[in-house]
Amino acid sequence: MAGMPGRAALAVASLLCASITSVLAQTSTTSYRAIFTLPASAQNGLPVLPNINDPQAVNAQDVCPGYTASNVVRTPFGLTASLQLAGKACNVYGPDVDFLNLTVEYQSSDRLHLEIVPTYVDSSNSSWFILPEALVQKPTIDADADAVLDSDLNFVWSNDPTFSFSVIRQSTGDVLFSSTGYKLVFENQFIEFGSSLPENYNLYGMGEVIHGLRMGNNITRTFYAADVGDPIDYNIYGDHSFYLDTRYYEVDATTGNLTYAANATNASVEYVSYSHGVYMRNSHGQEVLLRPSNMTWRTIGGSIDLYFYAGPTQDKVTKAYQTSAIGLPAMQQYFTFGYHQCRWGYTNWSELQDVVDNFAKFGIPLENIWTDIDYMNQYRDFENDQGRFSYAEGAQFLSKLHANGQHYIPIVDSAIYVPNPMNASDAYPTFNRGNESNAFMMNEDGSLYIGDVWPGYTVFPDWIGSVLNGTGAFDWWANEMSIWHQNISFDGIWLDMSEVSSFCYGSCGSQNITLNPVHPPFQLPGEVNNIGYGYPEGFNLTNATEAASVSAASASQASAISATQAPTVSTSTVYERTTPSPSARNIEYPPYAINNVQGALGVHAVLPNATHHGGTVEYDYHNLFGHQIINATYHALLDIFQGKRPFIIGRSTFAGSGKWAGHWGGDNTSLWAYMFFSIPQALSFSLFGIPMFGVDTCGFNGNTDEELCSRWMQLSAFFPFYRNHNVLAAIPQEPYRWAAVAEATKVAMNIRYTLLPYIYTTFYLAHSTGSTVMRALAWEFPNEPLLADTSTQFLLGSSLMVVPVLAQGANTTNGVFPGVGYGEVWYDWYNQTSVTASAGQNITIDAPLGHIPVYIRGGSVLPTQQAGMTTKECRSNPWGLIAASSLEGTASGQLYADDGESLTLNATLWVEFSLTNSALYASARGMYNDTNPLANVTILGVGPKVNNVSLNGASISSGWTYDSSSQVLAITGLNNVTSAGAWSSDWVLNWA
């Protein structure tokens, strides 16, 4: 769920809901007078024209002098130098900083650090330039580093004509980053540097944004956390200023020499790729201009704090980035990989129980039921509406839910209601305790900063002041969550509105608290003349009668709105341009305007001049609110669920949030494009170290339909986080609502739940080593440049490939089978036969509605477990193995097992599988005791025939079959001979 107008503009409702007054009347605490609605203008800041679109904007490269390096001193791990302005200050977007310090560190054999900061930094300006390590982890020199001697990265610099630098890969001579030809600009509110890029470069990452996997070469990426409903190609909720650069080279067959291949499209040519990564550690607003031959990096504060990762593969880059800079992903509890159902609009516990019961009635697995803000007492955190979501009835519901092995996840918003001092019944102890703990952000004069969110006028927790100055936000938050959990035994937390969002511009409630509660300055979905009639593309083709009715109703509403609106007056927008001040920063409207989706930095956000305890301002730390509320929630849940792994899904994230939480893709729309974009969005978050990712399946905004929801429910079954969620007053979209969707869901869920051991093992490897869970084909097959921009299919781990249908009305899809030119073999999940394909060939795959093509990679051994209705049931079921032979007749795989919940892994089990010479071996180690037997083993690609099968030398006379046409050996009935547990002892399965 998100804030408006992104939400209001896109939200669609075909069912009327009551007005906000009626909604509040349902709650146990009602307003004592008519509710005041904030005027729409309350949301508006001054109009800001992004500099990249401003014809009057000054190009800093034309007028600024650059810097000159001097006092270069070698250090044990690099060098230091002084940088001084090389001419008269330009002061184009703020005062130039005259003197800078350069530090270069070879931190490890594959990591180079470059930092440029002002020479003179003290307590008065530290937050302008320095990002504290207490807020964001800072990579340091490895304890055993001798990187100056063995690094594959080389730093070189020049003063011709002004200071510039290059980072070179020594093994290939490739220039990875070069600011040659660019002047360094470093002002108190504007920093600019650039680098050349090779022709047709391949860059990935730079989020959060809805875009294809491969960044284009004529776009601008903005890093500024924004409350907005998933627009294409704009900044949205999170900030991840990291990118992966992959370059392909043609290999000379005679000499082995490498030549950069700008157009690597010849499937018959041998190529090799080299990848590197770049991370800019900075919490200020930033933007990167990607152009055909170069990039320009701009930030409105902070410093240049760059980390270069040599790779040379995506896997090595991603692992090095996580282990050095952001932390390894949090290990998730086993139950979190089950299916999650949510919507904005579940009105009471009884309706939740009906949903749970309907999943069981239709035979569809359900692991987790969620509630949006409906459960709250007037939309206030940590309080339930006692009329509809009472604690007593909730205890009964949750007791039954938990007894069935299911779980409950509620939403928690990021702003805290301020009670009306004129209304004694409006008491809100959560606010009182937070205020007494100095837990909230302030205005510059020390008064509370009061914005507006769902409940009305609200304050905002001061995570920054809590971390840096010891004020009470973290402890208060943990206490409130603990008190609430005593009343409602939730199993995890969903964090929303955490950019942080505010529906009015500035501290609009400071003088108006006696009006609380107030209505947001926009219509909610379902209010008068805010009924949405949008459906996916093609709805008129498959549902002609309904489409005609929708069209008529939509036209009627449009006419009603037109009749009540005043005539539009044509005006010319006068844009705000800020003149730099030599004495102070202008942080409300910075002199350089980044290309922020909301325009001014304070629109739908807390103003940049909101003040933290200790005196710092939001301008310097805006992008960290979502990161730090995740931090606070993680540690709060550690106290509540002692010894267990916290489960958190957060909306706004930053580099490092993955060590605490997962993320969902935000307020998407029920359109085919958003299903398409869910794949590159997920793959990007793999690069960002947040593998627990999923989107609102079937779409959040708008009405879905049978075809889209069928396809999407099947696609999302192969994302780590699998949730269906939709907007208030939209048509219901639980998968049992349509017979075709229910059947398609059961097909895909059966595969997912069967593969939970494989998924869990893959996630454990991500948690312990930094590997990825969802993978782009180009990462797993790095020497096939034709895969560089492929995101219409993906890998789950290294061994499973998914090729979904992403177009309306299609009964086939196209898929490429990577590696086949190098001896890879792929097996169809359903018929278990090998696929015939040529290198680089797009194969047309039959995929009627209800079928999602899935393939197993040859050379893989996949652990399975019999599917069930819950993960608890699955974990008690017998084991299985699917071994898919390579062309050489070999395969390998792993299984990781533990209790599925403990934070400290005391008892674990690791099983290695290997197939060779017509024998499958299982070898286990570890103290976790699993007593489930082995039920079946399926071996793909066995030939030419099988006459006998034995386990540990004992012949198996029955219970196995061999199909010579499909070359599948299926062995069943192993339960009795493995009754002590499939992995209680090592074994070998032979066939001949």
Side-chain angles (χ1 to χ4, degrees), residues 2 83 94 121 134 173 239 275 330 341 361 471 558 564 595 699 707 714-715 800 824 834 843 850 874 931-932 961 978:
L83 303 179
V121 175
D239 176 356
S275 293
Q341 180 62 49
K361 174 184 175 181
T471 48
T564 58
N595 189 35
E707 182 186 8
Q714 290 201 314
L715 169 61
L800 206 73
E824 290 282 353
S834 60
I843 304 295
C874 292
T931 59
N932 297 313
T961 60
T978 59

Side-chain angles (χ1 to χ4, degrees), residues 660-701:
W660 298 314
H663 174 61
W664 95 102
D667 288 358
N668 60 8
T669 303
S670 295
L671 296 171
W672 289 85
Y674 281 95
M675 182 171 66
F676 172 92
F677 282 122
S678 71
I679 300 174
Q681 193 178 11
L683 295 173
S684 295
F685 273 86
S686 292
L687 294 179
F688 303 151
I690 306 181
M692 193 62 174
F693 177 89
V695 298
D696 283 348
T697 302
C698 300
F700 175 75
N701 285 306

